[in-house]
Amino acid sequence: EMDVIDVPIPHVQGKTVLGVAIRDEKGVTIAAMMRAGEPLARGVYRVIQGARFVYHSPGNLLHVPGHTLILVDSVINSGKSIRDELGALSAPGGGPFHGRIFVVSDVMQQEASEALPREFPAVRFFALRVSGNKYTGSGGTDTGNRLFGTEQS
């Protein structure tokens, strides 16, 4: 679970109500899985502005400072990218990350939404939508290409 504290926040009706904030935002690292994960990761960063923001590349998260890592990707289809990174973070001798890990995505394919939490029970997974559609794009149909109107060669 995320370590949160109660904080007073203004309500639209002019009164003050209790909300929550992350206790130690400076101990949080938000990692954008490139390219498609960046817009959602930027949104998460807008909420946790004291966090560190990094662009993910394979293996660069092994020595992330802090105690909370939030991996952000736009779409998780088979789960291969997330699975690879989580495996590297917990691999013996690979400088395992000794903190809480959260994975956030816009869409997660149904099978991955069931398999990943079983494989990585210490990791919390959050998706805005779980999809029964099983589609993995490539080339011009890749999620990043569709979001940014580009194509990598």
Side-chain angles (χ1 to χ4, degrees), residues 33 71 76 79-86 103 116 125:
M33 302 286 283
L71 285 169
I76 298 173
K80 182 184 179 334
S81 298
I82 294 293
R83 190 176 278 112
D84 289 349
E85 193 58 48
L86 293 175
V103 174
L116 288 169
F125 294 86

Side-chain angles (χ1 to χ4, degrees), residues 60-146:
N60 79 329
L61 301 178
L62 293 177
H63 303 288
V64 168
H67 53 75
T68 302
L69 173 63
I70 303 173
L71 285 169
V72 184
D73 202 355
S74 174
V75 177
I76 298 173
N77 285 308
S78 69
K80 182 184 179 334
S81 298
I82 294 293
R83 190 176 278 112
D84 289 349
E85 193 58 48
L86 293 175
L89 288 168
S90 60
F97 182 75
H98 298 290
R100 292 179 296 265
I101 301 174
F102 297 85
V103 174
V104 177
S105 67
D106 289 316
V107 179
M108 186 181 287
Q109 199 278 329
Q110 178 73 40
E111 290 177 18
S113 76
E114 295 167 359
L116 288 169
R118 280 195 307 268
E119 292 173 45
F120 301 97
V123 177
R124 297 293 308 263
F125 294 86
F126 297 92
L128 298 176
R129 182 171 71 89
V130 174
S131 173
N133 187 25
K134 196 169 186 178
Y135 173 77
T136 303
S138 64
T141 62
D142 173 75
T143 302
N145 294 332
R146 289 182 286 134

